[in-house]
Amino acid sequence: MKYPLATYRLQFRPEFGFADAERIIDYLATLGVSTVYASPIFKARPGSTHGYDVTDPNQLNPELGTREAFESLTATVQRHGMTWLQDFVPNHMAYDSRNRMLMDVFEKGPGSPYAAFFDILWDHLRENLRGKVIAPFLGKPYGETLESGELSLQYGDGNFAVKYYDSVYPLRIESYATFISHQLNELKERLGAEDPDFIKMLGIVVVLTNLADDPKAEPLARTAQMLLARDALWAMYRDNPAVREFIDRRVGEFNGDVNLLDAMLAQQWFQFTYWRVASKEINYQRFFNINELISLRMEDERVFDVVHRLALSLLNEGKIHGLRIDHVDGLYNPTEYVERLRRRAPGAYLVVEKILELSEQLPGIWRVEGTTGYDFLNYVNELFVDRGSERRFQQIYSTFSGEALEYAELLYEKKKLIIERHLTGDLDNLTSVLKTISTTTRDAIDLAWEALMQAITEAAAVFPVYRTYIAGGEISRQERRHVEEAIAKAKGKNPTLERALDFLHQVLLLDYPNYLAEDHRAQWRDFVMRFQQFTSPLMAKGLEDTAFYVFNRLVSLNEVGGNPGRFGLSVDEFHAAVGRRAQSFPHTMNATATHDTKRGEDVRARINVLSEMPDEWQRHIAEWHELNKRLKRSVEGEEVPSRNREYFLYQTLIGAWPSAGGVDESLVERMKQYMLKAAREAKTHTFWLDNNSEYEAALLDFTEKLLTASPEFLERFTPFQKRVAHYGVFNSLAQTVIKLTAPGVPDLYQGTELWDLSLVDPDNRRPVDYEQRRQLLSEVRAAAGSNVAALADDLLRTREDGRVKLFVTHRTLQARRDQGELFEQGDYLPLSVTGEHAAHVVAFARRLGARLAVTIAPRLLVPLVGEDELPVGEVWRDTTVELPKDAPAAWHNQFSDEALKATERIAVADALRRFPVALLV
């Protein structure tokens, strides 16, 4: 297997397709990237900006270009000696009328060859959800939609279908009999009883009626008869004007009579519902709580083979070389999936999108290279948070916001809110499975539905990780610990549920009673798998999409995979975490920004600086609050924004303020859209599903006036922001060199080789100016060719333009390319730092045989240098880094081009004599 040296994430979309990507491959190769890391490229819903709403996994997305354009792109990638890592979505497809496999299910029901592809509960306990798949896409209740004429029948290409705006859903073939038989005497009078086509029409009615009355008929024979009847009808429609006139008249009649249309729709394999109903009643597995994404039964090997056909073909052809598996936690059995994928793609580089808590390990039996790097992102981010300020920062936050928020309790409350508002239907489905199980056991047969539902709710709301991976075999100590922790906490929250929680505990750990039959044991395993599928989206929605927008103590910690309740990491904790990854998954990915991150990597780097200056921060926000009171409005007796939301906004402005300074229309609009999204995600005053228009208008008005009509605020804000940004530059350079040299595969998100001051999507998916980057890289390389030291000095003087980050990125990637085996296979050696400023230095080495590379990076610089000073040279005083044993005496500094002499230890003042980070090789 060829491991990537460095990946570069490209976000494909209709405005940036295969041809556009081909034009920048030479730039990426020159930068030092080894691998194109592509967002989904398979056929998706028209206009998709992300590609995760796949309608056909076995076609390339035509909106990105032709197959020939893709072939040209991959040939260019290979010509530059690069590889391709493809983002792949196994968990779900778009619930969309363009999804041909799903529409085949609509047409043929459980008899469709694709019926087993989708996670649909055909045998739901509730009668109104049984035997049909819910289609929750109506903008208002079904009756109102029908009466308003928004649903209409149509016939074309051999199919009857119902149209709802731009979506067209095929009708159940058996139901054609109802339509054809209506007023059939009209056709008899027109053609005559002996006419062959009239006799065929009668035959079609009889065949389809009999099939409708005999749902247990042999599937293949049943399907064959349905298709023959359907095709015969279409042939007559095309060839016989009388038949065509009869059918067209009937279509108009049904569309003009809601009773006829309603009766027709009642016979279908799908049931239209108001979209809001899905949060309470649903009978298919969704991706998170998104109605438009329906889960696949990837545990079925046939489903796996069909969905992966094109991706595996591209791997076998050498067009792509690895797969990034999206949302592995959403799968019914991730362990089985990963093993199956590895068997099909033995030589591919495989990584999974997986959130890991600090103490959590990726299952060791998974034969993958690791994760997509959210864990590393948070390790390196927290290095730049001053842990000593935690108590002071909590006090400032509580005092200013007026809210004594305790993070763990807040997360618990928000997860319960998500269940109540968005996942009640999913909880109901899960409870029905547990209730069925309880009736087969002596100790739980009399447990009430309500008690079981509450037990699931409480355990899921306190579950400490996204999910476990119990599948019926041996349960690991880590998984057992997570389950036991959740049950214990749930009992503490609600002691009256002790008996139901004890039963849930027993089931989750598959502690079967000895009398339980194998078919009942299988029910236990099925419940465990579904419970694990439930805890993952619950954690994601409760944490990432809710609590992260409410608990605002230091918002740089509110990041995907992060824990805002933890205020930073020590250097030793960082080394320990990275060391564990290096031992278990040495080729896992190292990210600092992704398409899913809540803030750009350099936004976080700036906000982290606030942890080093709590007193200044407190003084400034108090002053800004007094200045901006006049901009607020009262809505329903509360000021907008609240002090908690205002606190959030000030941190956001500190982090995302343009490097060049100044307010323009783009910044105002970005901030308004971001604050609107943040408020809806917080779910305190307004919601995505229930907008509070008056609140939102007041919030947007405040944000706009703050930036355009409050010169006093800007006059006081800008100097402090500039001071914070000064230190943020060095945080950014430090995290960049650490990411690029630590064990694992460093990943660059598109455009982040310059300053990344973006916010959450869609802000972080804006077009990237690659011509600017190409030109700047060319200039940097040319200048480095004549005098690296002089270039470094110049870049530090003009650091606002981002070239200094581009320089660090390029020079480090050059070192990785020159010393590929060292960075790919080398050991990770944390290095001891001594001296007055030891706590402000991170140092480690990579070693392979006699080859060594040493990384030295600063942290927590506010106490060391002023806002006009650089963290270089004598500022480091007596601080030294102890080198590995048998280290060579001669070193080369990649960023200053200096030659250094050192054996046992090296002075940080020497290593950072001219530049604030060092890579010594």
Side-chain angles (χ1 to χ4, degrees), residues 159-183:
N159 296 290
F160 282 102
V162 61
K163 189 173 188 293
Y164 180 66
Y165 290 95
D166 293 333
S167 296
V168 180
Y169 302 97
L171 299 189
R172 178 181 182 178
I173 295 177
E174 299 99 306
S175 71
Y176 292 12
T178 299
F179 179 87
I180 298 169
S181 60
H182 185 71
Q183 305 290 347

Side-chain angles (χ1 to χ4, degrees), residues 475-626:
I475 299 174
S476 70
R477 283 185 295 178
Q478 176 176 265
E479 289 168 326
R480 188 175 295 275
R481 184 173 67 250
H482 293 326
V483 171
E484 290 174 346
E485 178 184 339
I487 296 298
K489 286 183 176 179
K491 287 181 179 179
K493 295 286 186 186
N494 198 333
T496 63
L497 292 174
E498 181 172 5
R499 186 165 164 243
L501 285 165
D502 282 340
F503 176 60
L504 178 61
H505 185 198
Q506 182 182 5
V507 174
L508 290 178
L509 293 180
L510 298 177
D511 185 13
Y512 310 111
N514 56 18
Y515 58 80
L516 205 63
E518 176 53 34
D519 58 337
H520 292 153
R521 295 185 181 211
Q523 289 179 330
W524 283 42
R525 292 191 293 272
D526 180 61
F527 172 81
V528 171
M529 308 293 257
R530 293 190 176 278
F531 177 84
Q532 292 172 146
Q533 281 184 295
F534 182 73
T535 60
S536 174
L538 177 59
M539 177 71 91
K541 298 302 293 182
L543 175 64
E544 298 170 27
D545 294 343
T546 309
F548 275 3
Y549 293 92
V550 179
F551 187 78
N552 300 322
R553 181 173 64 179
L554 187 68
V555 296
S556 53
L557 296 173
N558 298 14
E559 193 50 84
V560 179
N563 182 346
R566 187 176 63 235
F567 205 80
L569 284 183
S570 69
V571 174
D572 287 343
E573 287 172 323
F574 172 80
H575 284 318
V578 173
R580 287 193 300 269
R581 294 170 92 245
Q583 287 295 317
S584 303
F585 295 95
H587 306 294
T588 188
M589 292 178 76
N590 298 343
T592 45
T594 77
H595 60 285
D596 280 333
T597 42
K598 303 299 183 184
R599 292 164 186 83
E601 59 187 47
D602 301 320
V603 173
R604 292 194 307 272
R606 288 177 174 180
I607 295 173
N608 286 336
V609 174
L610 298 176
S611 71
E612 303 179 63
M613 46 176 70
D615 292 338
E616 287 182 70
W617 172 240
Q618 182 179 37
R619 186 170 65 253
H620 282 294
I621 57 174
E623 179 184 35
W624 300 338
H625 174 70
E626 288 301 317

Side-chain angles (χ1 to χ4, degrees), residues 669-696:
E669 189 57 30
R670 286 175 58 217
M671 287 300 137
K672 287 169 63 178
Q673 293 306 310
Y674 178 68
M675 290 303 292
L676 180 62
K677 178 167 183 170
R680 290 176 177 174
E681 296 283 30
K683 304 173 185 66
T684 53
H685 296 88
T686 189
F687 306 86
W688 287 109
L689 306 185
D690 293 295
N691 303 157
N692 182 333
S693 57
E694 189 178 0
Y695 172 86
E696 292 182 355

Side-chain angles (χ1 to χ4, degrees), residues 601-746:
E601 59 187 47
D602 301 320
V603 173
R604 292 194 307 272
R606 288 177 174 180
I607 295 173
N608 286 336
V609 174
L610 298 176
S611 71
E612 303 179 63
M613 46 176 70
D615 292 338
E616 287 182 70
W617 172 240
Q618 182 179 37
R619 186 170 65 253
H620 282 294
I621 57 174
E623 179 184 35
W624 300 338
H625 174 70
E626 288 301 317
L627 280 172
N628 297 323
K629 275 182 177 179
R630 61 185 178 81
L631 305 179
K632 294 191 176 189
R633 298 208 309 249
S634 178
V635 176
E636 298 176 357
E638 293 186 43
E639 66 175 21
V640 179
S642 67
R643 292 174 67 104
N644 190 32
R645 185 65 42 209
E646 185 181 1
Y647 191 86
F648 174 93
L649 175 55
Y650 293 145
Q651 290 184 75
T652 300
L653 291 174
I654 288 286
W657 200 258
S659 295
V663 176
D664 60 16
E665 186 177 340
S666 171
L667 177 67
V668 174
E669 189 57 30
R670 286 175 58 217
M671 287 300 137
K672 287 169 63 178
Q673 293 306 310
Y674 178 68
M675 290 303 292
L676 180 62
K677 178 167 183 170
R680 290 176 177 174
E681 296 283 30
K683 304 173 185 66
T684 53
H685 296 88
T686 189
F687 306 86
W688 287 109
L689 306 185
D690 293 295
N691 303 157
N692 182 333
S693 57
E694 189 178 0
Y695 172 86
E696 292 182 355
L699 178 64
L700 295 179
D701 185 60
F702 176 85
T703 305
E704 181 171 353
K705 287 179 177 176
L706 186 75
L707 296 172
T708 62
S710 183
E712 301 90 347
F713 164 68
L714 295 179
E715 184 180 330
R716 288 163 173 77
F717 170 82
T718 305
F720 180 67
Q721 191 283 328
K722 186 176 180 181
R723 172 166 156 75
V724 171
H726 168 75
Y727 297 104
V729 165
F730 308 117
N731 283 356
S732 297
L733 298 180
Q735 80 174 353
T736 297
V737 73
I738 290 171
K739 174 180 75 173
L740 296 177
T741 57
V745 175

